[in-house]
């Protein structure tokens, strides 16, 4: 019995020593220590051993088991360490390689221009309001005095979700939404993305940004509108900037005007930038049409107001002397980081 145990132990240790992976070690564990393993079979053969010898044999089996288990455990650790070392060798990091450059983003010229415009109007006591980009035809056209057959609807052809819902062509529907809430007076600007079914070129894009302005209060006159926009132009383009109002037509304002500012490059004498005229067109405006007020539940006999709309891209292009609108949408960081 003693010789048999000695033999089993030596065999097991030899196998353990020569095994080179964890699977093999596991097989050895099962073969020697498992339920049907060699050591277990020795214990099963105890009935043939004389009773007074049994404790001694039992102790020897336990000793053999302990030795084999220790050998298995140590070999397992050694194999794991070896595997890790090999992995580290494979994954050598070359610390002399140049580091990957981390590109930090940059504020877009549109964003810079918008923040500037917001700063100016917040300074004059305006609130910044946002509205949905997907808008009811009712708000985008009808309630702004543009009924179904109005020619202005052609000029502002857009993308229809269905007969009643469109991608808004202007930020003006936000005016209607605010007026309908009925909290007067109103002094707000509404910046945001608008859509037209325009082909892309240097001055057009199917998606661009507008900033809408609206003031409704008692005794608001065209003089308030002129004063406000003159102040805005000075803040944005410089103290010496002058404004000029040219009569125009918009369905939702009466009277309406387009506003030019003196060229901030030549000061109004005429240059290549302003195409020799000395003036640059920047926005459209007017007194809110009484019918528009009425449709939103405001009494035009008691209240009056003005509205204006300015293209955000137009301001960014002018301010940074960018000659192609497409540059604003390409998001090439080499272009963007100049601003
Ligand atoms: Zn000029």
């Amino acid at each position: 019995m003693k010789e048999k145990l000695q033999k089993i132990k030596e065999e097991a240790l030899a196998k353990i020593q020569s095994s080179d992976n964890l699977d093999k070690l596991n097989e050895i564990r099962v073969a020697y220590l498992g339920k049907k393993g060699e050591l277990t079979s020795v214990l099963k053969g105890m009935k043939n051993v004389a009773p007074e010898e049994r404790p001694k044999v039992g102790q020897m089996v336990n000793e053999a088991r302990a030795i084999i288990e220790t050998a298995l455990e140590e070999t397992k650790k050694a194999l794991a360490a070896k595997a890790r070392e090999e992995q580290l060798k494979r994954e050598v990091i070359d610390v002399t390689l140049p580091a990957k450059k981390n590109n930090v983003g940059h504020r877009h010229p549109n964003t810079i221009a918008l923040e500037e415009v917001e700063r100016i109007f917040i300074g004059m006591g305006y609130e910044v309001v946002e509205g949905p980009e997907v808008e009811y035809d009712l708000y985008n056209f009808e309630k702004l005095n543009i009924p179904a057959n109005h020619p202005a609807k052609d000029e502002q052809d857009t993308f229809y979700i269905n007969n009643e819902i469109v991608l808004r062509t202007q930020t003006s529907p936000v005016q209607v939404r605010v007026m309908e809430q009925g909290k007067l007076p109103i002094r707000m600007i509404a910046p945001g993305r608008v859509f037209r079914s325009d082909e892309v070129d240097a001055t057009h894009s199917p998606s661009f940004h507008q900033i809408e302005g609206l003031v409704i209060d008692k005794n608001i006159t065209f003089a308030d509108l002129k004063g406000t926009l003159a102040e805005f132009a000075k803040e944005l383009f410089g103290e010496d900037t002058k404004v000029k109002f040219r009569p125009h037509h918009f369905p939702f304002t009466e009277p309406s005007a387009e506003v030019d500012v003196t060229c901030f490059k030549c000061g109004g004498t005429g240059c290549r930038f302003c195409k020799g005229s000395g003036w640059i067109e920047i926005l459209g405006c007017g007194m809110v049409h009484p019918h528009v007020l009425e449709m939103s539940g405001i009494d035009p006999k008691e209240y009056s107001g003005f509205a204006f709309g300015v293209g955000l891209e137009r301001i960014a292009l002018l301010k940074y002397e960018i000659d192609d609108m497409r540059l604003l949408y390409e998001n090439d960081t080499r272009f963007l980081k100049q601003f």
Side-chain angles (χ1 to χ4, degrees), residues 49-334:
V49 178
E52 64 273 21
E53 289 284 310
R54 281 179 196 168
K56 210 179 164 196
V57 176
Q59 198 192 347
M60 281 161 64
V61 171
N62 283 343
E63 273 170 15
R65 172 179 285 273
I67 288 168
I68 294 170
E69 265 174 359
T70 307
L72 278 169
E73 205 47 45
E74 276 170 3
T75 310
K76 194 175 155 190
K77 273 186 198 158
L79 280 177
K82 205 175 143 201
R84 181 160 166 69
E85 203 171 299
E86 274 168 12
Q87 189 187 10
L88 284 175
K89 263 185 208 160
R90 274 199 308 276
E91 293 175 3
V92 169
I93 295 165
D94 184 353
V95 292
T96 63
L97 275 174
K100 236 188 207 167
K101 216 174 165 189
N102 226 344
N103 275 323
V104 178
H106 194 275
R107 284 201 306 164
H108 193 279
N110 271 357
T111 310
I112 304 172
L114 174 61
E115 283 174 3
E116 175 74 0
V117 173
E118 285 183 346
R119 185 190 64 78
I120 295 169
F121 281 103
I122 288 170
M124 291 197 262
Y126 285 60
E127 204 183 335
V128 180
V129 185
E130 286 186 349
E133 292 174 4
V134 181
E135 182 59 281
Y136 289 107
D137 181 282
L138 183 70
Y139 285 105
N140 194 78
F141 295 117
E142 299 268 336
K143 290 208 171 203
L144 288 164
N145 230 7
I146 310 174
N149 299 319
H150 198 285
K153 236 177 154 171
D154 264 352
E155 288 162 27
Q156 297 191 14
D157 196 16
T158 182
F159 306 94
Y160 283 75
I161 307 296
N162 58 35
N163 278 339
E164 280 146 36
I165 300 172
V166 299
L167 296 190
R168 66 177 179 190
T169 60
Q170 46 189 354
T171 41
S172 310
V174 185
Q175 286 184 22
V176 180
R177 287 177 172 274
V178 172
M179 285 193 291
E180 279 190 348
Q181 288 170 8
K183 280 184 222 145
L184 297 165
I186 296 166
R187 197 174 283 122
M188 58 160 259
I189 57 168
R193 188 190 297 273
V194 299
F195 307 85
R196 306 268 173 103
S197 54
D198 281 336
E199 295 282 335
V200 175
D201 65 27
T203 54
H204 292 89
S205 161
S207 162
F208 55 101
H209 299 78
Q210 276 188 348
I211 305 165
E212 187 79 10
L214 176 72
V215 172
I216 307 277
D217 203 349
K218 289 174 178 167
N219 304 315
I220 297 289
T221 69
F222 203 92
D224 296 308
L225 171 59
K226 284 180 85 169
T228 302
L229 293 181
E231 188 57 32
F232 167 62
K234 277 183 190 172
E235 287 263 351
L236 193 62
F237 296 114
E239 194 54 37
D240 299 326
T241 309
K242 291 183 183 63
V243 286
K244 181 169 80 176
F245 288 72
R246 279 182 290 106
H248 195 76
H249 173 261
F250 300 112
F252 34 89
T253 47
E254 180 60 35
S256 306
E258 282 196 320
V259 178
D260 298 343
V261 295
T262 42
C263 174
F264 47 84
K265 284 228 104 176
C266 63
T269 52
C271 67
R272 204 172 58 87
F273 196 68
C274 55
K275 299 194 184 81
S277 73
W279 295 94
I280 294 167
E281 184 193 323
I282 59 158
L283 58 84
C285 66
M287 300 304 290
V288 181
H289 198 294
H291 190 220
V292 171
L293 290 176
E294 252 168 14
M295 280 191 285
S296 290
I298 295 172
D299 182 0
K301 289 193 189 78
E302 199 181 345
Y303 285 94
S304 56
F306 62 77
F308 54 87
V310 49
L312 179 59
E313 280 81 358
R314 175 123 190 92
I315 291 181
L317 295 179
L318 284 172
K319 227 175 144 49
Y320 301 112
E321 298 176 31
I322 303 163
D323 55 8
D324 193 327
M325 193 165 164
R326 285 169 288 198
L327 290 167
L328 292 177
Y329 303 121
E330 283 164 359
N331 285 329
D332 186 329
T333 51
R334 289 168 302 178

Side-chain angles (χ1 to χ4, degrees), residues 16-28:
I16 290 169
Q17 238 169 20
S18 68
S19 69
D20 54 3
N21 67 57
L22 295 175
D23 283 346
K24 259 188 202 164
L25 278 183
N26 208 34
E27 276 167 28
I28 296 167

